[in-house]
Structures are given as structure tokens and as C-alpha cells.
Amino acid sequence: MSGGLLVAGTTSDAGKSVVTAGICRWLVRQGVKVAPFKAQNMSLNSFVTKEGAEIGRAQAMQAQACRVEPTALMNPVLLKPGGEQSSQVVLLGKPVGELSARGYHGGRQQKLLGTVLDCLAELRGTYDAVICEGAGSPAEINLRRTDIVNMGIARNAGLPVLVVGDIDRGGVFASFFGTVALLSPEDQALVAGFLVNKFRGDVSLLEPGLDMLHGLTGRSTYGVLPFRHGLGIDEEDGMGVRNTRASAPVGEDVLRVAVCAVPLMSNFTDTDALAAEPGVVVRFVDRAEELADADLVVIPGTRGTVRALEWLRERGLAEALVRRAAEGRPVLGICGGFQILGEHIEDEVESRVGAVDGLGVLPVRVRFAREKTLTRPVGEALGERVEGYEIHHGVAQVAGGDAFLDGCRVGQTWGTHWHGSLESDGFRRAFLREVAAAAGRRFVPAPDTSFAALREEQLDRLGDLIEQHADTDALWRLIESGAPQGLPFIPPGAPA
């Protein structure tokens, strides 16, 4: 078998990432050597590969679904928003500069097409199948000329296209039809059909509409996936906690975790491992009073450390955090959150504002370097082995406190640059025991929670969705042989 597929969507958050992961897991269970690919990703949730390249976390998750090691080839272009008008451009895993949206779409994006196609060709030469994920909608007619992630990549690589629609938000039939009808004849010829996502109810009630859609477009629906809770793992955007297991606490108490929803929040997936623990309740907060009943407060990573610090001060959260630390109540700062807890920040790179005072809770001074740190450290904390990954421009000078990973700890305030550390099961349990003791909670971590096993269970559930609710024979033919010949043109087509 040798083939490929582009999973597009009628909208952002239609389910492209999870459908791509599900198809990957279904294929690998059939013995197919498969890899994921997303030409261009815009996300603040990223991951570091073993070779030290930064890619979107969704592609790292999809690589896990394929049971292969993620590489920069799987996500050659990553855009990390730094505000409303600009993004950091990460090319083949390394930052190459900041660009405005106009500057990127005005010429830079199209120049990256060759690099993107080379990466895809290398993957296709190595794997039996490559399952590509689009971005947003392929019918963004204002961006089609410079597109390198939807129909642009499909046309250049000859990929069949499967369009996913979220029926739970409504209007899925109009979205399917309109998506096809706004494409040029050449683009339409590659759109093989549709996949309905997040359906609730009796599928037989949907079938007349699917028949009419086929009559109107000449294209089949390749499956109707039922709505399932808790499957949005490692999403590109959208903020939410994915509770992977809803269970009663092992001890007498629950443990309440408040995550400060700072601007440009990055890698908030760090909290997923906490939410996986029975009896741990995680919520995102943006008001000082919401910290009052929290047993642990987490300040997560951010692409705008200085901006997040200002936001915390404007909302009274900074004062509440300083008071909380002085009272010996647990606070954990990760990456940008760690920098915020320090005494001083010197930033001529990210915000370019120069010297700024931090919250002064930890004896740390931070200087932003132009070169980004991208590593996969391994260490020990609380007597347990810990693995993590670092993605930051800020370089921390620690001048006191107790050692904690690469950061420090003072009392019950902890700071580290390590993302993903809480996925190390032994360390997470030891840390939660410390938090519970400091908070006076009779909370006991479950002795058998394996975050890696829970992640595998979720990926298998995605594979099951495809296997049980998609026309896998037709999907197999599509991946292997490309879009069916003779698909009809649906007017009006793309504007001239």
C-alpha cells in the first residue's frame, strides 16, 4: 500500500485533529506503516522532538497514534501567535522570525511551499501512507492563492480530500455543500466526500439528508462518528481540561486546582495529567476570588510573559498569588509562569519592554535570549524520575531556594521551565501528596494511574470510532487510489 489523504474541515474545531489521529490508529492496527502530516499549524500548544525541533502537540499526538517518533517533517511550519497581528514562524522546528499576518500571507507563505512539499515527499517515501491534516476550512477564498495547508497541498501532492463537519454545532449539510461549491473545478475534483463528526441520536434520521447531499454533490459520506466525551486530546486551540477518567477520590477529599488563564497561554495541556487523577478537579480562572478555595494554583506557560504579568496585576491575581505564597499555600509556575514568579525580568526579545519586576516570590532573575531553548531534559525530583521538555527564550538565574528540576522551590511555591513533568506518574503522585499535606486535605493519589496508558486508551478509542462508524473499505480505497474519477462540478465554484 502506498497512499495519502488530506483531512479537511468545514470549520476550525470540526474535529480534524482527532479524526486524523483516529485514522492513523486504525491504519497502524491494520499493519500499515503510517505517519501524520500538517504543513502549517497555528498553535501555542507545542512539543519538542528528540532531535530538538518544535512542532505542534497535535502532530506529536498523531505520531503517537501511528506508534512512531514525531519529527519536524510532520509539521514543517508552526505559527505561534504573539498578539492579534503577529506570530513567531517556526520552520523545520526552529524559530526564524516574527511576521505579521499580512506579511506572511503576502508572500512568505507561498515561498514555503517547496519546503512543505519536500517534507511530505520524504514522509511518503518512508511510510506506506501519510494522513495529512488541513487547517481551518479549505474554502477560505481570501487565502486560497497562497494556501499551502489545504487545497494548495492537495493539488500539488495529488491528495484526495475528506471534509469533516461538526454536526453538533448545526448547519452541517449547508457547510458541506458550501465548502465544495466555493472551490475551483480543479480543487473540487479532489474532494472525495464527507465525514460527519459528533452526531447524537439515531443515524437513520440522518440518512435522508446524506442521500440528498449525495444527490446534490455526487459525493459519498464516509461515515457518521458519534459524539464522545473526552476525546479532544492535545488540541491546537480552544481551552479546556480533558478529564481522561472520571472516578471518585481514593482518599476522603478531592483536590482543587485553579489554573490562571493568562493571555497567550501555551501548553496548557500540562494540566491534563492532573485532571487524569481521580479526585483532582481542574478549572481555569481569571478572577482573584476564584483562588480562595484552590488547594493548588498553577500559572501555566505563555507566549507573552510580560503581558501575562500585567494581566495578573490588572485583575488582582498577582496580589492574591503573592499573599498565597506568603501563607505557604501551594503555587506552581511552569515556564512563563515560573518566570513571572521571579524577582526580575529583562526582555528585549518577546515583549521588547526591557526591565520589569516580577512577583518576587522566587529568587530568580530572567533574561530573554534570542535563541530559543528546545530540549528534552530528564532528571529527578521528590525522589522520583522526571521527564519533560523545554520551550522558552527566558534564561533563569536561580539565586536561592531548594533545587526543583531546573528551577527552584521556596516553601510551597514551585517553579520550573519543564513542560510535561506531571506526566511522570511517580513524580505527579509525590507532588500531589505534598500539595495535599500543605493544603490540609485528606487526598490520596491513586496508586495505579498511568497517564501514558490513559493516552493510549484514548487513541484506541479514536481508532475504534473510525473502525466501527466509518466505511473503512471505502476509506482504504481512497487512501490507496486517490479521489474517484468523474466527480461533478458544483457551481458557482471559486470566484475569479
Side-chain angles (χ1 to χ4, degrees), residues 32-68:
V32 178
K33 187 180 178 184
V34 61
F37 179 78
K38 184 159 186 173
Q40 172 195 294
N41 197 345
M42 178 174 280
S43 178
L44 287 172
N45 284 337
S46 57
F47 183 75
V48 179
T49 68
K50 282 189 173 179
E51 68 267 31
E54 184 180 9
I55 66 172
R57 270 198 71 99
Q59 280 61 67
M61 175 268 290
Q62 290 161 357
Q64 186 175 347
C66 297
R67 298 182 179 140
V68 298

Side-chain angles (χ1 to χ4, degrees), residues 178-363:
T179 297
V180 178
L182 280 176
L183 301 178
S184 69
E186 296 81 5
D187 286 351
Q188 287 193 24
L190 293 173
V191 178
F194 314 106
L195 187 73
V196 177
N197 192 28
K198 302 181 187 176
F199 179 71
R200 307 173 191 249
D202 185 348
V203 176
S204 66
L205 298 177
L206 194 64
E207 289 172 352
L210 300 179
D211 291 340
M212 284 186 275
L213 182 65
H214 183 271
L216 289 166
T217 67
R219 290 159 173 83
S220 300
T221 297
Y222 283 71
V224 177
L225 307 184
F227 185 94
R228 292 287 185 267
H229 288 283
L231 289 181
I233 52 179
D234 289 5
E235 293 163 323
E236 295 168 6
D237 43 36
M239 183 178 68
V241 178
R242 290 154 291 282
N243 287 287
T244 52
R245 182 169 66 174
S247 303
V250 174
E252 296 180 42
D253 288 342
V254 299
L255 208 61
R256 297 180 291 255
V257 179
V259 183
C260 296
V262 296
L264 299 174
M265 183 166 51
S266 62
N267 287 63
F268 54 82
T269 47
D270 282 331
T271 61
D272 287 354
L274 294 175
E277 284 286 346
V280 175
V281 180
V282 180
R283 69 185 191 275
F284 289 87
V285 303
D286 60 6
R287 300 194 308 272
E289 57 267 28
E290 294 177 288
L291 304 187
D293 66 345
D295 302 308
L296 168 67
V297 174
V298 178
I299 312 173
T302 171
R303 250 279 281 161
T305 298
V306 172
R307 178 177 170 185
L309 180 56
E310 292 171 350
W311 181 87
L312 290 169
R313 285 177 168 143
E314 288 168 359
R315 291 174 170 263
L317 284 159
E319 184 181 350
L321 286 166
V322 171
R323 185 168 58 250
R324 181 183 181 90
E327 294 170 352
R329 303 178 66 196
V331 177
L332 171 64
I334 303 174
C335 200
F338 167 41
Q339 297 165 7
I340 285 169
L341 291 171
E343 298 171 345
H344 184 80
I345 299 169
E346 189 75 28
D347 181 13
E348 300 289 352
V349 176
E350 194 176 75
S351 67
R352 299 184 179 90
V353 299
V356 177
D357 288 332
L359 297 187
V361 175
L362 293 178

